[in-house]
Amino acid sequence: MAIRAGVSKGAVSRTFNGGKGISPGTMARIRAAAAELNWTPSTAARAVSGGPAHAVGLVLRRPAELLELDPFFPAFLAGVESALTSVGYAAVLRFVGDSHTEREGYEQLVGERRVDGFLLTDLRHRDPRFELLSRLGARAVVAGSPGRTCPFPWVSTGSAGQVRELIRHLIAQGHRTIAHVAGTPSLRHARRRRQLWQDTVVEAGLEPGPVVTGDFTTDGGARATRELLDQSPRPTAIFYANDLMAIAGLSVLAEHGVKVPDDMAVAGFDDISLASYVTPALTTVRCDYRRMGQIATHTLLAQLRNEDVAPQFTIGGELRLRRSTGA
């Protein structure tokens, strides 16, 4: 191909690795020769020789049901893909079942130069991936609110204000015993939503209601709701850590003859598409996960180009008040 274009092999390599030091005319001639020969550069060969892999990695450790039904990942990935395709990058997904396999996945992707950087999701308390990727010298951007010790740029939903507004709305409706169905305790966003619920209730001079863990799944939400119905006295409002659990809870409440919102107010988080179609329509907090994926990816790509990037970016949530809380 270099012979066809009348250039050196080095000029061909530089053309397809950023074009540094190559004139526009020479680049055009090289690309025209590549098109004539139906030739494309080998990503694997570039990576082995120290060039970019033109790929971004996501290593996912989460239950199968959440991968199938959780609103975050499909929307986030759609945002990631929309940002990558415009620059010819690909997303490399690795699904793992435990922390050991997860660590090996990161080490393999870095060691084999399969990816140029990572997007980190599903943050955990004292997340060990920060130390691991720092030790491996990998670039990364975090999706979520990791706290002050995070060494990487991060993009958050910024929905804390909306969660507080939601709890205040329930209090304004006259509720004095507000329960919480929490997500998986090891996940940072689950702990954060629980803390926001508790702090807002306490600030209003009330005692926090009962807490039951529902692990973000429909089965977990249904089980937690049945447990809350056995409480004495019963709570009069439930804030679920996501909409899947809240919708499962609505079904359980209907089975037990509990009227929503007359007997029990119900609220969720995420604003999935079903939230406005269930009966009664579900009060929830909306987050734009697609935009989150786009911004996180653009931030990582800028970092890979050695550009200055903001240490953090906040998108902002939106409270959607509906009939399930009497709105």
Side-chain angles (χ1 to χ4, degrees):
M1 207 270 288
I3 295 174
R4 174 67 68 91
V7 298
S8 67
K9 292 181 180 179
V12 173
S13 177
R14 291 198 299 276
T15 294
F16 291 98
N17 284 285
K20 186 176 181 180
I22 305 297
S23 69
T26 301
M27 288 179 63
R29 194 163 72 251
I30 291 171
R31 292 186 183 279
E36 291 173 12
L37 296 172
N38 196 28
W39 179 89
T40 56
S42 168
T43 299
R46 279 201 310 243
V48 169
S49 63
H54 287 157
V56 168
L58 290 94
V59 179
L60 302 170
R61 176 159 66 99
R62 50 165 53 199
E65 182 183 359
L66 286 184
L67 280 174
E68 180 181 2
L69 298 175
D70 180 46
F72 169 79
F73 182 65
F76 181 81
L77 186 58
V80 171
E81 285 290 345
S82 68
L84 291 179
T85 54
S86 63
V87 294
Y89 271 64
V92 175
L93 305 182
R94 182 70 59 89
F95 298 96
V96 298
D98 54 57
S99 59
H100 176 72
T101 310
E102 179 183 51
R103 185 177 65 256
E104 287 185 336
Y106 282 111
E107 291 173 342
Q108 182 181 34
L109 289 172
V110 172
E112 296 178 359
R113 296 181 179 175
R114 297 279 302 279
V115 301
D116 301 316
F118 294 94
L119 296 171
L120 302 185
T121 64
D122 295 338
L123 300 185
R124 304 174 203 113
H125 183 55
R126 296 176 181 171
D127 202 308
R129 293 175 295 177
F130 297 165
E131 188 276 333
L132 171 64
L133 292 179
S134 295
R135 177 171 53 82
L136 293 173
R139 302 287 186 93
V141 171
V142 172
S145 301
R148 289 174 292 179
T149 60
C150 178
F152 305 114
W154 47 278
V155 180
S156 72
T157 60
S159 56
Q162 286 70 38
V163 172
R164 286 182 174 275
E165 187 180 354
L166 168 57
I167 304 303
R168 292 188 189 111
H169 161 72
L170 293 173
I171 295 170
Q173 295 288 91
H175 297 285
R176 295 297 176 265
T177 305
I178 303 171
H180 179 50
V181 175
T184 308
S186 61
L187 294 176
R188 189 175 178 89
H189 59 277
R191 297 165 66 99
R192 178 62 171 158
R193 287 170 204 170
R194 175 174 176 169
Q195 192 65 52
L196 288 167
W197 157 81
Q198 179 176 307
D199 290 348
T200 308
V201 169
V202 170
E203 287 168 5
L206 303 175
E207 287 290 328
V211 179
V212 182
T213 299
D215 67 23
F216 285 129
T217 65
T218 51
D219 286 346
R223 182 179 63 253
T225 305
R226 294 188 184 98
E227 186 173 335
L228 288 173
L229 288 176
D230 290 336
Q231 299 274 341
S232 182
R234 278 184 181 177
T236 62
I238 307 173
F239 168 49
Y240 293 81
N242 75 350
D243 289 350
L244 288 178
M245 295 193 295
I247 290 172
L250 287 173
S251 178
V252 170
L253 294 173
E255 289 173 3
H256 285 76
V258 178
K259 296 180 180 179
V260 177
D262 297 341
D263 302 328
M264 184 85 71
V266 170
F269 189 100
D270 284 329
D271 195 27
I272 64 175
S273 57
L274 284 176
S276 59
Y277 292 99
V278 294
T279 303
L282 181 65
T283 288
T284 185
V285 175
R286 181 181 184 275
C287 296
D288 192 342
Y289 296 131
R290 180 186 176 95
R291 184 164 180 247
M292 189 182 196
Q294 288 176 326
I295 293 173
T297 305
H298 284 307
T299 302
L300 179 57
L301 292 173
Q303 192 181 43
L304 296 175
R305 294 190 297 265
N306 294 317
E307 298 174 2
D308 291 333
V309 298
Q312 66 184 76
F313 187 95
T314 302
I315 294 172
E318 183 180 352
L319 176 60
R320 299 289 178 87
L321 294 175
R322 299 188 178 111
R323 278 290 301 151
S324 70
T325 58

